[in-house]
């Protein structure tokens, strides 16, 4: 498909313009930095894009301010009383200083107990919790990959989890390898599943083309809702494209 990308600057804001074979103009603001992206039909020129952005400046700035606020909230100290998310649910963190090995336990009443050694500092506490998220996520992924690689009829040679700043998932098409963002452990499992499907569909279609959307519609009819949920603001500073 014929897709062309470039950037323009409107009133000091950098705007990513994607020109492709679509009927309507779509404008979006993405966290964390408030990146502005406009997808426009092929026939719409930059002057028209500029005008569209200017008429929506109030909306754009409202979203950018919202993301900036979330960025501030997202600083974590890993102390008792903080909210932390796991599989889309909010938990109250309860830090327990003790002498045994560090570990994490989740309680039904909505608390995550973080057991650390006496004198552990913020980065040590963060490391223990992050390792726990990683183990939880790594346990959730294999059944989902197994389910979807046969549904989509693709091969996955390798997968992994890593902390990424700007992407929920990455697909290396030639190596049939996918990477999933560690942050997905904090989101509902439906969101994790959506990202897995998205990355596996890339094995059939490299670009976010119309064909890609059609394949997504076919395999996961409600994928747009899941994407929305994934990018919803509640959990803080992560987001993203993929
Ligand atoms: Zn993609």
């Amino acid at each position: 498909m014929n897709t062309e990308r470039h950037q323009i600057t409107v009133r000091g804001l950098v705007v990513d313009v994607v020109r492709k074979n679509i009927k309507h103009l779509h404008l979006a603001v993405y966290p964390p930095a408030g990146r502005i992206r406009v997808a426009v039909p092929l026939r719409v020129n930059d002057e028209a894009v500029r005008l569209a952005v200017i008429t929506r400046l109030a909306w754009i700035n409202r979203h950018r301010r919202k993301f900036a606020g979330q960025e501030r909230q997202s600083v974590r100290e890993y102390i008792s009383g903080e909210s932390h998310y796991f599989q889309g649910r909010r938990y109250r963190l309860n830090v327990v200083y003790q002498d045994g090995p560090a570990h994490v336990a989740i309680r039904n009443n909505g608390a995550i107990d973080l057991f650390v050694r006496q004198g552990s500092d913020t980065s040590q506490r963060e490391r223990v919790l992050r390792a726990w998220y990683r183990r939880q996520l790594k346990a959730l992924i294999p059944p989902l990959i197994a389910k979807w690689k046969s549904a989509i009829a693709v091969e996955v040679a390798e997968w992994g989890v890593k902390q990424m700043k700007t992407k929920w998932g990455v697909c290396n098409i030639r190596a049939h390898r996918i990477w999933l963002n560690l942050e997905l452990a904090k989101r509902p499992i439906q969101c994790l599943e959506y990202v897995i499907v998205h990355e596996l569909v890339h094995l059939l279609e490299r670009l976010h083309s119309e064909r890609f959307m059609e394949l997504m519609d076919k395999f996961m009819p409600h994928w747009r809702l899941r994407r929305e949920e994934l990018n919803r603001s509640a959990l803080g500073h992560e987001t993203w494209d993929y």
Side-chain angles (χ1 to χ4, degrees):
M1 189 166 94
N2 201 357
T3 302
E4 184 263 336
R5 294 158 197 278
H6 68 284
Q7 291 186 326
I8 60 172
T9 304
V10 183
R11 305 252 173 109
L13 297 172
V14 175
V15 177
D16 290 335
V17 180
V18 181
R19 197 167 270 113
K20 54 187 182 178
N21 187 20
I22 52 176
K23 287 199 176 61
H24 304 283
L25 181 147
H26 300 279
L27 184 137
V29 181
Y30 295 97
R35 180 172 75 91
I36 305 162
R37 177 186 185 272
V38 190
V40 296
L42 295 169
R43 64 190 152 71
V44 174
N45 67 22
D46 279 357
E47 248 345 279
V49 174
R50 193 178 301 277
L51 200 63
V53 170
I54 288 170
T55 58
R56 292 165 179 86
L57 267 182
W59 180 87
I60 290 169
N61 285 326
R62 197 159 64 239
H63 280 272
R64 288 170 62 90
R65 275 197 303 273
K66 197 178 81 190
F67 296 146
Q70 283 160 13
E71 182 86 66
R72 281 193 299 277
Q73 279 168 28
S74 71
V75 175
R76 294 275 194 263
E77 292 177 85
Y78 300 87
I79 52 175
S80 291
E82 271 180 1
S83 289
H84 287 260
Y85 287 81
F86 176 57
Q87 288 189 17
R89 282 186 59 193
R90 191 168 76 168
Y91 290 87
R92 184 186 179 280
L93 190 67
N94 180 44
V95 182
V96 183
Y97 293 92
Q98 39 101 66
D99 291 324
H103 66 283
V104 175
I106 199 152
R107 282 192 270 148
N108 315 333
N109 66 357
I112 293 176
D113 290 329
L114 173 61
F115 295 87
V116 290
R117 288 183 188 281
Q118 305 285 354
S120 293
D121 63 19
T122 306
S123 72
Q124 287 164 324
R125 297 194 297 271
E126 178 182 10
R127 203 156 345 119
V128 173
L129 191 60
R130 197 174 278 210
W132 177 79
Y133 275 128
R134 182 180 292 270
R135 281 195 306 278
Q136 301 299 317
L137 187 61
K138 283 190 144 181
L140 293 170
I141 293 167
L144 291 173
I145 289 184
K147 170 183 168 186
W148 287 101
K149 76 175 187 187
S150 57
I152 300 172
V154 289
E155 275 312 313
V156 179
E158 207 184 332
W159 61 271
V161 167
K162 63 178 167 182
Q163 186 81 48
M164 291 183 271
K165 278 261 181 280
T166 60
K167 291 171 191 295
W168 286 116
V170 178
C171 181
N172 182 319
I173 293 166
R174 228 170 312 154
H176 284 247
R177 178 174 58 228
I178 66 169
W179 288 104
L180 298 162
N181 195 323
L182 178 59
E183 295 296 319
L184 286 164
K186 300 174 186 171
R187 307 286 168 139
I189 191 165
Q190 294 86 342
C191 295
L192 167 66
E193 187 169 32
Y194 155 67
V195 175
I196 289 173
V197 172
H198 179 108
E199 300 310 330
L200 295 191
V201 166
H202 273 312
L203 295 172
L204 301 178
E205 170 61 44
R206 192 166 64 89
L207 302 170
H208 296 142
S209 61
E210 255 167 60
R211 177 166 176 259
F212 184 91
M213 304 305 163
E214 282 163 15
L215 289 165
M216 286 302 296
D217 288 341
K218 176 180 157 198
F219 293 119
M220 187 175 261
H222 301 301
W223 67 272
R224 285 181 180 82
L225 287 175
R226 296 192 182 196
R227 180 179 63 180
E228 228 171 82
E229 186 165 19
L230 183 61
N231 288 324
R232 201 169 295 153
S233 45
L235 305 191
H237 68 297
E238 320 92 5
T239 0
W240 321 61
D241 39 24
Y242 27 84

